[in-house]
Amino acid sequence: MSSRREYFEMVCKRLEGQGAGEKSIEGLAEIARDVCAEEQFKKFLVTDITVKDLVFPRSAIDTTAKLLYPDVHVPPHIPIMSLGNGNCFFNSVSILLTGKDECATEMRARCALELARNYQAYRDDAVLGKMLPMYKQKRSPSAFIETMTETLDLTEEILQTARGYR
């Protein structure tokens, strides 16, 4: 039996493996359904992640961010450092919830599984569809929503989420 982290790394690789072939959204959805039906997946409950009331030490404060945005980072908004490996969103959420970035891989895998299993709902979402003209005009940095609504094909987004930025 693999560790929690190893298991979710394997889930991401399974999704990536599908993407290396024909890049079929239906193939990704099938893998996601299979993974979610596995006993090991069911054993790793999201509720097992312990959310903590955190007090970060001074050493955890991102002093560079604090200098760059002094008006934004005033108590209780203190920038905390996270690993800048391209997975900073998942690393940051993990740190925010648990104090460590150990859950980042699991969160990335679960996000990719969610997108793959429910791709039709995301593709057809009325709210995202209404946001498209706004994102096209402003050229927002939110490439995820822009790409998702423009192409109506989540295959690449799911693969990118599963792949991370290793």
Side-chain angles (χ1 to χ4, degrees), residues 11-20 23 25 28 85-90 104-105 107-113 115-116 143-144 147-148 153-166:
V11 167
C12 288
K13 286 180 182 167
R14 282 173 65 186
L15 289 166
E16 284 181 67
Q18 166 61 30
K23 294 189 178 186
I25 188 71
L28 288 169
N85 61 358
N87 293 312
C88 55
F89 172 75
F90 293 110
T105 300
M107 285 188 253
R108 188 174 68 241
R110 287 183 183 277
C111 184
L113 290 170
L115 288 168
F144 173 79
T147 302
M148 185 169 68
D153 180 4
L154 291 174
T155 306
E156 281 303 317
E157 296 305 327
I158 294 165
L159 291 172
Q160 188 63 33
T161 301
R163 187 176 302 119
Y165 293 92
R166 293 182 236 134

mmCIF file of all heavy atoms in Angstrom, residues 11-20 23 25 28 85-90 104-105 107-113 115-116 143-144 147-148 153-166:
data_model
loop_
_atom_site.group_PDB
_atom_site.id
_atom_site.type_symbol
_atom_site.label_atom_id
_atom_site.label_comp_id
_atom_site.label_asym_id
_atom_site.label_seq_id
_atom_site.Cartn_x
_atom_site.Cartn_y
_atom_site.Cartn_z
ATOM 1 N N VAL A 11 -2.007 8.881 -9.355
ATOM 2 C CA VAL A 11 -3.263 9.293 -10.005
ATOM 3 C C VAL A 11 -2.959 10.336 -11.081
ATOM 4 O O VAL A 11 -3.459 10.243 -12.211
ATOM 5 C CB VAL A 11 -4.279 9.844 -8.978
ATOM 6 C CG1 VAL A 11 -5.437 10.551 -9.671
ATOM 7 C CG2 VAL A 11 -4.792 8.717 -8.079
ATOM 8 N N CYS A 12 -2.144 11.315 -10.756
ATOM 9 C CA CYS A 12 -1.774 12.343 -11.746
ATOM 10 C C CYS A 12 -1.079 11.702 -12.947
ATOM 11 O O CYS A 12 -1.354 12.067 -14.088
ATOM 12 C CB CYS A 12 -0.877 13.395 -11.102
ATOM 13 S SG CYS A 12 -1.736 14.495 -9.964
ATOM 14 N N LYS A 13 -0.193 10.747 -12.698
ATOM 15 C CA LYS A 13 0.515 10.074 -13.797
ATOM 16 C C LYS A 13 -0.442 9.261 -14.653
ATOM 17 O O LYS A 13 -0.268 9.182 -15.863
ATOM 18 C CB LYS A 13 1.634 9.202 -13.239
ATOM 19 C CG LYS A 13 2.799 10.029 -12.755
ATOM 20 C CD LYS A 13 3.905 9.185 -12.194
ATOM 21 C CE LYS A 13 4.994 10.127 -11.694
ATOM 22 N NZ LYS A 13 5.962 9.474 -10.876
ATOM 23 N N ARG A 14 -1.453 8.650 -14.043
ATOM 24 C CA ARG A 14 -2.448 7.912 -14.831
ATOM 25 C C ARG A 14 -3.204 8.857 -15.762
ATOM 26 O O ARG A 14 -3.435 8.544 -16.926
ATOM 27 C CB ARG A 14 -3.432 7.180 -13.912
ATOM 28 C CG ARG A 14 -2.848 5.917 -13.326
ATOM 29 C CD ARG A 14 -3.732 5.277 -12.298
ATOM 30 N NE ARG A 14 -4.982 4.784 -12.817
ATOM 31 C CZ ARG A 14 -5.939 4.288 -12.038
ATOM 32 N NH1 ARG A 14 -5.778 4.213 -10.728
ATOM 33 N NH2 ARG A 14 -7.068 3.851 -12.568
ATOM 34 N N LEU A 15 -3.573 10.008 -15.246
ATOM 35 C CA LEU A 15 -4.254 10.990 -16.087
ATOM 36 C C LEU A 15 -3.321 11.493 -17.197
ATOM 37 O O LEU A 15 -3.728 11.630 -18.340
ATOM 38 C CB LEU A 15 -4.772 12.153 -15.251
ATOM 39 C CG LEU A 15 -5.951 11.832 -14.331
ATOM 40 C CD1 LEU A 15 -6.159 12.941 -13.323
ATOM 41 C CD2 LEU A 15 -7.217 11.600 -15.145
ATOM 42 N N GLU A 16 -2.066 11.735 -16.850
ATOM 43 C CA GLU A 16 -1.086 12.166 -17.844
ATOM 44 C C GLU A 16 -0.883 11.110 -18.908
ATOM 45 O O GLU A 16 -0.752 11.431 -20.085
ATOM 46 C CB GLU A 16 0.266 12.430 -17.186
ATOM 47 C CG GLU A 16 0.371 13.701 -16.421
ATOM 48 C CD GLU A 16 1.760 13.843 -15.848
ATOM 49 O OE1 GLU A 16 2.710 13.997 -16.639
ATOM 50 O OE2 GLU A 16 1.892 13.788 -14.617
ATOM 51 N N GLY A 17 -0.851 9.844 -18.504
ATOM 52 C CA GLY A 17 -0.662 8.739 -19.440
ATOM 53 C C GLY A 17 -1.748 8.706 -20.488
ATOM 54 O O GLY A 17 -1.493 8.468 -21.663
ATOM 55 N N GLN A 18 -2.973 8.975 -20.082
ATOM 56 C CA GLN A 18 -4.079 9.042 -21.035
ATOM 57 C C GLN A 18 -3.847 10.207 -21.987
ATOM 58 O O GLN A 18 -4.077 10.104 -23.169
ATOM 59 C CB GLN A 18 -5.421 9.218 -20.311
ATOM 60 C CG GLN A 18 -6.581 9.627 -21.200
ATOM 61 C CD GLN A 18 -6.900 8.624 -22.298
ATOM 62 O OE1 GLN A 18 -6.692 7.439 -22.131
ATOM 63 N NE2 GLN A 18 -7.411 9.111 -23.412
ATOM 64 N N GLY A 19 -3.359 11.306 -21.446
ATOM 65 C CA GLY A 19 -3.144 12.492 -22.264
ATOM 66 C C GLY A 19 -2.032 12.326 -23.277
ATOM 67 O O GLY A 19 -2.011 12.985 -24.297
ATOM 68 N N ALA A 20 -1.093 11.421 -22.993
ATOM 69 C CA ALA A 20 0.017 11.201 -23.922
ATOM 70 C C ALA A 20 -0.462 10.529 -25.202
ATOM 71 O O ALA A 20 0.161 10.655 -26.234
ATOM 72 C CB ALA A 20 1.085 10.343 -23.248
ATOM 73 N N LYS A 23 -5.508 11.957 -26.168
ATOM 74 C CA LYS A 23 -6.012 13.142 -25.477
ATOM 75 C C LYS A 23 -7.532 13.248 -25.565
ATOM 76 O O LYS A 23 -8.085 14.280 -25.912
ATOM 77 C CB LYS A 23 -5.365 14.414 -26.010
ATOM 78 C CG LYS A 23 -3.898 14.492 -25.726
ATOM 79 C CD LYS A 23 -3.341 15.838 -26.077
ATOM 80 C CE LYS A 23 -1.871 15.878 -25.738
ATOM 81 N NZ LYS A 23 -1.284 17.155 -25.920
ATOM 82 N N ILE A 25 -11.141 13.493 -23.987
ATOM 83 C CA ILE A 25 -11.804 13.920 -22.758
ATOM 84 C C ILE A 25 -12.600 12.767 -22.160
ATOM 85 O O ILE A 25 -12.652 12.591 -20.950
ATOM 86 C CB ILE A 25 -12.686 15.175 -22.991
ATOM 87 C CG1 ILE A 25 -13.209 15.733 -21.669
ATOM 88 C CG2 ILE A 25 -13.848 14.856 -23.910
ATOM 89 C CD1 ILE A 25 -12.178 16.373 -20.824
ATOM 90 N N LEU A 28 -10.187 10.547 -20.310
ATOM 91 C CA LEU A 28 -9.844 11.127 -19.011
ATOM 92 C C LEU A 28 -10.992 10.956 -18.020
ATOM 93 O O LEU A 28 -10.777 10.637 -16.856
ATOM 94 C CB LEU A 28 -9.507 12.610 -19.162
ATOM 95 C CG LEU A 28 -8.182 12.921 -19.841
ATOM 96 C CD1 LEU A 28 -8.101 14.399 -20.171
ATOM 97 C CD2 LEU A 28 -7.029 12.503 -18.974
ATOM 98 N N ASN A 85 7.509 26.570 -7.510
ATOM 99 C CA ASN A 85 7.833 25.567 -8.525
ATOM 100 C C ASN A 85 6.769 25.479 -9.615
ATOM 101 O O ASN A 85 6.695 24.504 -10.337
ATOM 102 C CB ASN A 85 8.011 24.200 -7.875
ATOM 103 C CG ASN A 85 6.759 23.719 -7.176
ATOM 104 O OD1 ASN A 85 5.748 24.419 -7.126
ATOM 105 N ND2 ASN A 85 6.825 22.529 -6.615
ATOM 106 N N GLY A 86 5.928 26.485 -9.733
ATOM 107 C CA GLY A 86 4.861 26.446 -10.726
ATOM 108 C C GLY A 86 3.573 25.854 -10.184
ATOM 109 O O GLY A 86 2.528 25.968 -10.804
ATOM 110 N N ASN A 87 3.640 25.217 -9.046
ATOM 111 C CA ASN A 87 2.455 24.674 -8.386
ATOM 112 C C ASN A 87 2.096 25.538 -7.183
ATOM 113 O O ASN A 87 1.526 25.052 -6.213
ATOM 114 C CB ASN A 87 2.720 23.234 -7.923
ATOM 115 C CG ASN A 87 2.899 22.299 -9.080
ATOM 116 O OD1 ASN A 87 2.115 22.307 -10.016
ATOM 117 N ND2 ASN A 87 3.950 21.514 -9.040
ATOM 118 N N CYS A 88 2.432 26.799 -7.249
ATOM 119 C CA CYS A 88 2.296 27.672 -6.085
ATOM 120 C C CYS A 88 0.849 27.799 -5.602
ATOM 121 O O CYS A 88 0.619 27.976 -4.407
ATOM 122 C CB CYS A 88 2.919 29.025 -6.333
ATOM 123 S SG CYS A 88 2.298 29.866 -7.781
ATOM 124 N N PHE A 89 -0.126 27.692 -6.505
ATOM 125 C CA PHE A 89 -1.523 27.775 -6.058
ATOM 126 C C PHE A 89 -1.836 26.629 -5.101
ATOM 127 O O PHE A 89 -2.304 26.843 -3.985
ATOM 128 C CB PHE A 89 -2.487 27.750 -7.241
ATOM 129 C CG PHE A 89 -3.920 27.647 -6.804
ATOM 130 C CD1 PHE A 89 -4.570 28.755 -6.267
ATOM 131 C CD2 PHE A 89 -4.616 26.457 -6.883
ATOM 132 C CE1 PHE A 89 -5.887 28.663 -5.832
ATOM 133 C CE2 PHE A 89 -5.933 26.361 -6.465
ATOM 134 C CZ PHE A 89 -6.568 27.465 -5.937
ATOM 135 N N PHE A 90 -1.557 25.394 -5.535
ATOM 136 C CA PHE A 90 -1.857 24.245 -4.688
ATOM 137 C C PHE A 90 -0.957 24.225 -3.452
ATOM 138 O O PHE A 90 -1.396 23.862 -2.364
ATOM 139 C CB PHE A 90 -1.743 22.942 -5.483
ATOM 140 C CG PHE A 90 -2.799 22.823 -6.545
ATOM 141 C CD1 PHE A 90 -2.478 22.904 -7.878
ATOM 142 C CD2 PHE A 90 -4.130 22.641 -6.204
ATOM 143 C CE1 PHE A 90 -3.455 22.802 -8.861
ATOM 144 C CE2 PHE A 90 -5.119 22.544 -7.174
ATOM 145 C CZ PHE A 90 -4.777 22.622 -8.511
ATOM 146 N N ALA A 104 -0.420 19.416 -1.481
ATOM 147 C CA ALA A 104 -0.539 20.051 -2.790
ATOM 148 C C ALA A 104 -0.764 19.032 -3.909
ATOM 149 O O ALA A 104 -1.607 19.243 -4.784
ATOM 150 C CB ALA A 104 0.703 20.898 -3.081
ATOM 151 N N THR A 105 -0.047 17.927 -3.883
ATOM 152 C CA THR A 105 -0.205 16.911 -4.926
ATOM 153 C C THR A 105 -1.605 16.316 -4.888
ATOM 154 O O THR A 105 -2.240 16.127 -5.926
ATOM 155 C CB THR A 105 0.843 15.795 -4.752
ATOM 156 O OG1 THR A 105 2.138 16.377 -4.850
ATOM 157 C CG2 THR A 105 0.694 14.712 -5.808
ATOM 158 N N MET A 107 -4.326 17.732 -3.724
ATOM 159 C CA MET A 107 -5.287 18.734 -4.186
ATOM 160 C C MET A 107 -5.260 18.866 -5.704
ATOM 161 O O MET A 107 -6.303 18.992 -6.335
ATOM 162 C CB MET A 107 -5.013 20.077 -3.524
ATOM 163 C CG MET A 107 -5.465 20.110 -2.079
ATOM 164 S SD MET A 107 -5.350 21.753 -1.397
ATOM 165 C CE MET A 107 -3.942 21.557 -0.351
ATOM 166 N N ARG A 108 -4.060 18.836 -6.283
ATOM 167 C CA ARG A 108 -3.946 18.909 -7.742
ATOM 168 C C ARG A 108 -4.628 17.706 -8.387
ATOM 169 O O ARG A 108 -5.391 17.844 -9.351
ATOM 170 C CB ARG A 108 -2.477 18.988 -8.150
ATOM 171 C CG ARG A 108 -2.299 19.264 -9.616
ATOM 172 C CD ARG A 108 -0.856 19.480 -10.020
ATOM 173 N NE ARG A 108 -0.088 18.264 -9.898
ATOM 174 C CZ ARG A 108 0.959 18.105 -9.101
ATOM 175 N NH1 ARG A 108 1.381 19.104 -8.353
ATOM 176 N NH2 ARG A 108 1.610 16.968 -9.062
ATOM 177 N N ALA A 109 -4.402 16.509 -7.834
ATOM 178 C CA ALA A 109 -5.025 15.291 -8.369
ATOM 179 C C ALA A 109 -6.534 15.351 -8.239
ATOM 180 O O ALA A 109 -7.272 15.044 -9.181
ATOM 181 C CB ALA A 109 -4.477 14.061 -7.648
ATOM 182 N N ARG A 110 -7.024 15.757 -7.067
ATOM 183 C CA ARG A 110 -8.474 15.831 -6.864
ATOM 184 C C ARG A 110 -9.123 16.866 -7.781
ATOM 185 O O ARG A 110 -10.227 16.667 -8.277
ATOM 186 C CB ARG A 110 -8.792 16.126 -5.402
ATOM 187 C CG ARG A 110 -8.542 14.939 -4.484
ATOM 188 C CD ARG A 110 -8.944 15.262 -3.046
ATOM 189 N NE ARG A 110 -8.659 14.184 -2.154
ATOM 190 C CZ ARG A 110 -9.456 13.121 -1.958
ATOM 191 N NH1 ARG A 110 -10.586 13.020 -2.611
ATOM 192 N NH2 ARG A 110 -9.119 12.179 -1.096
ATOM 193 N N CYS A 111 -8.439 17.954 -8.009
ATOM 194 C CA CYS A 111 -8.957 18.987 -8.918
ATOM 195 C C CYS A 111 -9.053 18.432 -10.344
ATOM 196 O O CYS A 111 -10.069 18.608 -11.024
ATOM 197 C CB CYS A 111 -8.055 20.210 -8.863
ATOM 198 S SG CYS A 111 -8.633 21.601 -9.846
ATOM 199 N N ALA A 112 -7.999 17.741 -10.791
ATOM 200 C CA ALA A 112 -8.014 17.146 -12.131
ATOM 201 C C ALA A 112 -9.115 16.095 -12.241
ATOM 202 O O ALA A 112 -9.813 16.024 -13.258
ATOM 203 C CB ALA A 112 -6.652 16.526 -12.446
ATOM 204 N N LEU A 113 -9.288 15.287 -11.202
ATOM 205 C CA LEU A 113 -10.348 14.271 -11.206
ATOM 206 C C LEU A 113 -11.726 14.929 -11.285
ATOM 207 O O LEU A 113 -12.599 14.477 -12.029
ATOM 208 C CB LEU A 113 -10.258 13.390 -9.960
ATOM 209 C CG LEU A 113 -9.070 12.435 -9.901
ATOM 210 C CD1 LEU A 113 -8.957 11.815 -8.519
ATOM 211 C CD2 LEU A 113 -9.168 11.366 -10.978
ATOM 212 N N LEU A 115 -12.494 17.890 -12.533
ATOM 213 C CA LEU A 115 -12.676 18.443 -13.876
ATOM 214 C C LEU A 115 -12.981 17.343 -14.888
ATOM 215 O O LEU A 115 -13.855 17.499 -15.743
ATOM 216 C CB LEU A 115 -11.428 19.213 -14.311
ATOM 217 C CG LEU A 115 -11.176 20.543 -13.621
ATOM 218 C CD1 LEU A 115 -9.770 21.038 -13.946
ATOM 219 C CD2 LEU A 115 -12.214 21.565 -14.026
ATOM 220 N N ALA A 116 -12.264 16.229 -14.783
ATOM 221 C CA ALA A 116 -12.455 15.137 -15.742
ATOM 222 C C ALA A 116 -13.808 14.463 -15.574
ATOM 223 O O ALA A 116 -14.497 14.206 -16.551
ATOM 224 C CB ALA A 116 -11.329 14.107 -15.598
ATOM 225 N N ALA A 143 -6.076 32.489 -17.503
ATOM 226 C CA ALA A 143 -6.066 31.683 -18.727
ATOM 227 C C ALA A 143 -6.909 30.428 -18.579
ATOM 228 O O ALA A 143 -7.444 29.930 -19.564
ATOM 229 C CB ALA A 143 -4.636 31.317 -19.096
ATOM 230 N N PHE A 144 -7.038 29.933 -17.379
ATOM 231 C CA PHE A 144 -7.835 28.721 -17.185
ATOM 232 C C PHE A 144 -9.265 28.931 -17.646
ATOM 233 O O PHE A 144 -9.785 28.185 -18.468
ATOM 234 C CB PHE A 144 -7.818 28.306 -15.709
ATOM 235 C CG PHE A 144 -8.751 27.167 -15.422
ATOM 236 C CD1 PHE A 144 -8.391 25.876 -15.738
ATOM 237 C CD2 PHE A 144 -9.988 27.389 -14.868
ATOM 238 C CE1 PHE A 144 -9.242 24.820 -15.488
ATOM 239 C CE2 PHE A 144 -10.857 26.345 -14.622
ATOM 240 C CZ PHE A 144 -10.478 25.060 -14.931
ATOM 241 N N THR A 147 -9.414 29.825 -21.542
ATOM 242 C CA THR A 147 -9.206 28.655 -22.391
ATOM 243 C C THR A 147 -10.393 27.712 -22.296
ATOM 244 O O THR A 147 -10.871 27.198 -23.301
ATOM 245 C CB THR A 147 -7.923 27.913 -21.969
ATOM 246 O OG1 THR A 147 -6.841 28.817 -22.072
ATOM 247 C CG2 THR A 147 -7.677 26.707 -22.850
ATOM 248 N N MET A 148 -10.872 27.511 -21.086
ATOM 249 C CA MET A 148 -11.963 26.567 -20.872
ATOM 250 C C MET A 148 -13.203 26.997 -21.632
ATOM 251 O O MET A 148 -13.863 26.199 -22.280
ATOM 252 C CB MET A 148 -12.265 26.467 -19.377
ATOM 253 C CG MET A 148 -13.305 25.431 -19.026
ATOM 254 S SD MET A 148 -13.379 25.137 -17.266
ATOM 255 C CE MET A 148 -14.021 26.660 -16.654
ATOM 256 N N ASP A 153 -13.270 22.677 -24.460
ATOM 257 C CA ASP A 153 -12.594 21.391 -24.390
ATOM 258 C C ASP A 153 -11.654 21.436 -23.197
ATOM 259 O O ASP A 153 -10.666 22.145 -23.216
ATOM 260 C CB ASP A 153 -11.810 21.148 -25.677
ATOM 261 C CG ASP A 153 -11.087 19.819 -25.665
ATOM 262 O OD1 ASP A 153 -11.244 19.050 -24.700
ATOM 263 O OD2 ASP A 153 -10.357 19.557 -26.618
ATOM 264 N N LEU A 154 -11.978 20.673 -22.188
ATOM 265 C CA LEU A 154 -11.202 20.699 -20.957
ATOM 266 C C LEU A 154 -10.028 19.735 -20.961
ATOM 267 O O LEU A 154 -9.304 19.666 -19.989
ATOM 268 C CB LEU A 154 -12.115 20.347 -19.779
ATOM 269 C CG LEU A 154 -13.168 21.384 -19.437
ATOM 270 C CD1 LEU A 154 -14.091 20.856 -18.356
ATOM 271 C CD2 LEU A 154 -12.514 22.659 -18.981
ATOM 272 N N THR A 155 -9.850 19.004 -22.011
ATOM 273 C CA THR A 155 -8.809 17.976 -22.013
ATOM 274 C C THR A 155 -7.458 18.547 -21.603
ATOM 275 O O THR A 155 -6.815 18.029 -20.696
ATOM 276 C CB THR A 155 -8.691 17.332 -23.411
ATOM 277 O OG1 THR A 155 -9.974 16.878 -23.805
ATOM 278 C CG2 THR A 155 -7.721 16.165 -23.382
ATOM 279 N N GLU A 156 -7.012 19.605 -22.247
ATOM 280 C CA GLU A 156 -5.714 20.183 -21.931
ATOM 281 C C GLU A 156 -5.661 20.740 -20.510
ATOM 282 O O GLU A 156 -4.648 20.634 -19.839
ATOM 283 C CB GLU A 156 -5.339 21.268 -22.940
ATOM 284 C CG GLU A 156 -4.819 20.717 -24.237
ATOM 285 C CD GLU A 156 -3.603 19.817 -24.065
ATOM 286 O OE1 GLU A 156 -2.685 20.153 -23.283
ATOM 287 O OE2 GLU A 156 -3.580 18.756 -24.699
ATOM 288 N N GLU A 157 -6.752 21.344 -20.063
ATOM 289 C CA GLU A 157 -6.769 21.897 -18.712
ATOM 290 C C GLU A 157 -6.650 20.797 -17.671
ATOM 291 O O GLU A 157 -5.957 20.942 -16.667
ATOM 292 C CB GLU A 157 -8.045 22.708 -18.473
ATOM 293 C CG GLU A 157 -8.165 23.938 -19.343
ATOM 294 C CD GLU A 157 -6.980 24.873 -19.240
ATOM 295 O OE1 GLU A 157 -6.371 24.982 -18.159
ATOM 296 O OE2 GLU A 157 -6.648 25.495 -20.250
ATOM 297 N N ILE A 158 -7.332 19.688 -17.902
ATOM 298 C CA ILE A 158 -7.260 18.561 -16.962
ATOM 299 C C ILE A 158 -5.849 18.001 -16.951
ATOM 300 O O ILE A 158 -5.278 17.746 -15.892
ATOM 301 C CB ILE A 158 -8.289 17.482 -17.334
ATOM 302 C CG1 ILE A 158 -9.706 18.031 -17.139
ATOM 303 C CG2 ILE A 158 -8.081 16.216 -16.501
ATOM 304 C CD1 ILE A 158 -10.784 17.209 -17.795
ATOM 305 N N LEU A 159 -5.282 17.826 -18.138
ATOM 306 C CA LEU A 159 -3.915 17.302 -18.213
ATOM 307 C C LEU A 159 -2.928 18.250 -17.551
ATOM 308 O O LEU A 159 -2.028 17.824 -16.830
ATOM 309 C CB LEU A 159 -3.521 17.052 -19.668
ATOM 310 C CG LEU A 159 -4.258 15.907 -20.336
ATOM 311 C CD1 LEU A 159 -3.948 15.867 -21.827
ATOM 312 C CD2 LEU A 159 -3.914 14.583 -19.680
ATOM 313 N N GLN A 160 -3.094 19.542 -17.777
ATOM 314 C CA GLN A 160 -2.184 20.510 -17.162
ATOM 315 C C GLN A 160 -2.337 20.495 -15.653
ATOM 316 O O GLN A 160 -1.355 20.581 -14.933
ATOM 317 C CB GLN A 160 -2.476 21.919 -17.702
ATOM 318 C CG GLN A 160 -1.456 22.945 -17.277
ATOM 319 C CD GLN A 160 -0.078 22.640 -17.825
ATOM 320 O OE1 GLN A 160 0.088 22.110 -18.910
ATOM 321 N NE2 GLN A 160 0.924 22.961 -17.061
ATOM 322 N N THR A 161 -3.557 20.361 -15.159
ATOM 323 C CA THR A 161 -3.769 20.294 -13.723
ATOM 324 C C THR A 161 -3.129 19.036 -13.155
ATOM 325 O O THR A 161 -2.477 19.081 -12.115
ATOM 326 C CB THR A 161 -5.274 20.317 -13.404
ATOM 327 O OG1 THR A 161 -5.827 21.522 -13.936
ATOM 328 C CG2 THR A 161 -5.529 20.283 -11.908
ATOM 329 N N ALA A 162 -3.303 17.914 -13.809
ATOM 330 C CA ALA A 162 -2.721 16.661 -13.338
ATOM 331 C C ALA A 162 -1.196 16.718 -13.420
ATOM 332 O O ALA A 162 -0.497 16.239 -12.526
ATOM 333 C CB ALA A 162 -3.227 15.492 -14.171
ATOM 334 N N ARG A 163 -0.689 17.313 -14.485
ATOM 335 C CA ARG A 163 0.755 17.359 -14.727
ATOM 336 C C ARG A 163 1.453 18.290 -13.760
ATOM 337 O O ARG A 163 2.554 18.050 -13.322
ATOM 338 C CB ARG A 163 0.974 17.819 -16.169
ATOM 339 C CG ARG A 163 2.388 17.772 -16.645
ATOM 340 C CD ARG A 163 2.489 18.165 -18.116
ATOM 341 N NE ARG A 163 1.692 17.315 -18.971
ATOM 342 C CZ ARG A 163 0.686 17.753 -19.739
ATOM 343 N NH1 ARG A 163 0.378 19.026 -19.786
ATOM 344 N NH2 ARG A 163 -0.013 16.922 -20.497
ATOM 345 N N GLY A 164 0.789 19.399 -13.435
ATOM 346 C CA GLY A 164 1.473 20.415 -12.646
ATOM 347 C C GLY A 164 2.531 21.070 -13.498
ATOM 348 O O GLY A 164 2.483 21.011 -14.722
ATOM 349 N N TYR A 165 3.502 21.627 -12.877
ATOM 350 C CA TYR A 165 4.553 22.319 -13.628
ATOM 351 C C TYR A 165 5.904 21.769 -13.199
ATOM 352 O O TYR A 165 6.784 22.498 -12.799
ATOM 353 C CB TYR A 165 4.481 23.827 -13.370
ATOM 354 C CG TYR A 165 3.234 24.413 -13.929
ATOM 355 C CD1 TYR A 165 2.091 24.529 -13.139
ATOM 356 C CD2 TYR A 165 3.167 24.816 -15.244
ATOM 357 C CE1 TYR A 165 0.924 25.063 -13.654
ATOM 358 C CE2 TYR A 165 2.010 25.343 -15.767
ATOM 359 C CZ TYR A 165 0.894 25.470 -14.960
ATOM 360 O OH TYR A 165 -0.257 25.999 -15.479
ATOM 361 N N ARG A 166 6.046 20.448 -13.273
ATOM 362 C CA ARG A 166 7.286 19.798 -12.823
ATOM 363 C C ARG A 166 8.418 20.082 -13.763
ATOM 364 O O ARG A 166 8.310 20.274 -14.914
ATOM 365 C CB ARG A 166 7.075 18.298 -12.713
ATOM 366 C CG ARG A 166 6.111 17.979 -11.615
ATOM 367 C CD ARG A 166 5.925 16.508 -11.453
ATOM 368 N NE ARG A 166 4.497 16.272 -11.594
ATOM 369 C CZ ARG A 166 3.963 15.338 -12.321
ATOM 370 N NH1 ARG A 166 4.702 14.501 -12.969
ATOM 371 N NH2 ARG A 166 2.683 15.188 -12.390
#
